[in-house]
């Protein structure tokens, strides 16, 4: 991003909503206009009155960076954080500012992660319950087939009937050929 341009980088970030707090990922080393701290590539800065500020001077120092990538965590962290800033970086190839992530309170990130974990747990338990139910259904089905086979073919041993029924069950549930099931 080019500092000293009359417009300033903030004016170019037209794809970001006007009311949002926008923070820029530093690409070219700069210096905080207030405390003089060096702002190195990879740091964050906020433009205020065309003056680059470090996060502390912009009163955003207590926020933590959450990179984009997990939409659910981003959404939840946004919901839980009292303050949020959008982190953007200039893309040379696309010639526009691109969102890299957000700055939110550490507590919000923690809460978002816990909620997502709880969700994953919940989904795993649902899958487990579904598998148990499917197994029970399979067992019922096998028992019914064994009974029917033995009624139709009195000479058929329980073992043979069981093997046939198991095979029929795998075919029936579409799980033929998958080892370990
Ligand atoms: Zn500063």
């Amino acid at each position: 991003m080019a500092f000293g341009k009359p417009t300033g980088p903030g004016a170019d970030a037209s794809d970001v909503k006007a009311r949002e707090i926008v923070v820029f990922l530093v690409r070219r080393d700069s210096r905080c206009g207030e405390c003089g701290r060096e702002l190195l590539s990879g740091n964050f800065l906020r433009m205020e009155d065309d003056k680059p500020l470090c996060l502390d001077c912009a009163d955003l120092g207590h926020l933590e960076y959450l990179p984009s990538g997990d939409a659910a965590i981003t959404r939840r962290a946004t919901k839980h954080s009292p303050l949020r800033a959008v982190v953007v970086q200039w893309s040379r190839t696309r010639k526009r500012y691109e969102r890299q992530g957000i700055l939110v309170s550490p507590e919000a990130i923690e809460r978002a992660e816990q909620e997502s974990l709880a969700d994953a747990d919940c989904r795993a338990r649902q899958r487990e319950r579904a598998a148990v139910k499917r197994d029970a259904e399979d067992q019922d089905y096998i028992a019914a087939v064994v009974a029917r086979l033995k009624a139709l073919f009195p000479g058929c041993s329980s073992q043979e009937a069981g093997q046939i029924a198991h095979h029929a069950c795998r075919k029936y549930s579409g799980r033929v050929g998958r080892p370990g099931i």
Side-chain angles (χ1 to χ4, degrees):
M1 92 182 64
F3 293 118
K5 269 205 316 191
T7 50
D12 293 325
S14 50
D15 56 332
V16 179
K17 275 184 262 152
R19 293 264 167 72
E20 261 175 334
I21 302 172
V22 180
V23 165
F24 298 90
L25 256 176
V26 176
R27 292 194 63 143
R28 199 185 307 159
D29 294 356
S30 181
R31 201 171 275 280
C32 174
E34 207 142 311
C35 70
R37 186 195 295 176
E38 265 192 304
L39 297 167
L40 306 172
S41 178
N43 289 163
F44 304 103
L45 73 81
R46 168 125 169 90
M47 290 301 289
E48 259 170 40
D49 303 327
D50 278 346
K51 198 165 63 173
L53 294 182
C54 72
L55 288 190
D56 285 334
C57 291
D59 291 329
L60 299 171
H62 58 296
L63 299 182
E64 200 171 298
Y65 181 47
L66 177 66
S68 304
D70 190 321
I73 288 192
T74 295
R75 196 180 57 243
R76 286 177 160 144
T78 297
K79 196 176 74 190
H80 295 316
S81 186
L83 184 65
R84 183 188 85 145
V86 174
V87 177
V88 298
Q89 186 176 40
W90 178 254
S91 161
R92 264 180 226 150
T93 47
R94 297 213 180 89
K95 303 260 183 289
R96 62 183 166 93
Y97 282 99
E98 289 185 328
R99 191 177 158 139
Q100 306 295 312
I102 54 175
L103 294 174
V104 283
S105 73
E107 298 79 24
I109 295 180
E110 204 172 298
R111 222 172 130 185
E113 281 170 348
Q114 275 167 3
E115 283 178 6
S116 289
L117 269 178
D119 258 17
D121 261 13
C122 185
R123 276 197 298 274
R125 277 198 301 274
Q126 274 170 357
R127 273 197 303 274
E128 234 167 71
R129 277 199 299 274
V132 167
K133 187 163 174 270
R134 205 166 51 225
D135 272 359
E137 282 167 358
D138 284 359
Q139 293 308 319
D140 287 351
Y141 177 79
I142 288 167
V145 172
V146 168
R148 186 84 184 122
L149 281 171
K150 288 181 77 176
L152 285 172
F153 309 102
C156 181
S157 76
S158 291
Q159 201 197 348
E160 276 173 325
Q163 279 168 357
I164 294 168
H166 270 101
H167 183 73
C169 179
R170 283 203 299 276
K171 215 168 191 168
Y172 157 80
S173 55
R175 284 183 274 149
V176 165
R178 275 200 244 163
I181 297 175

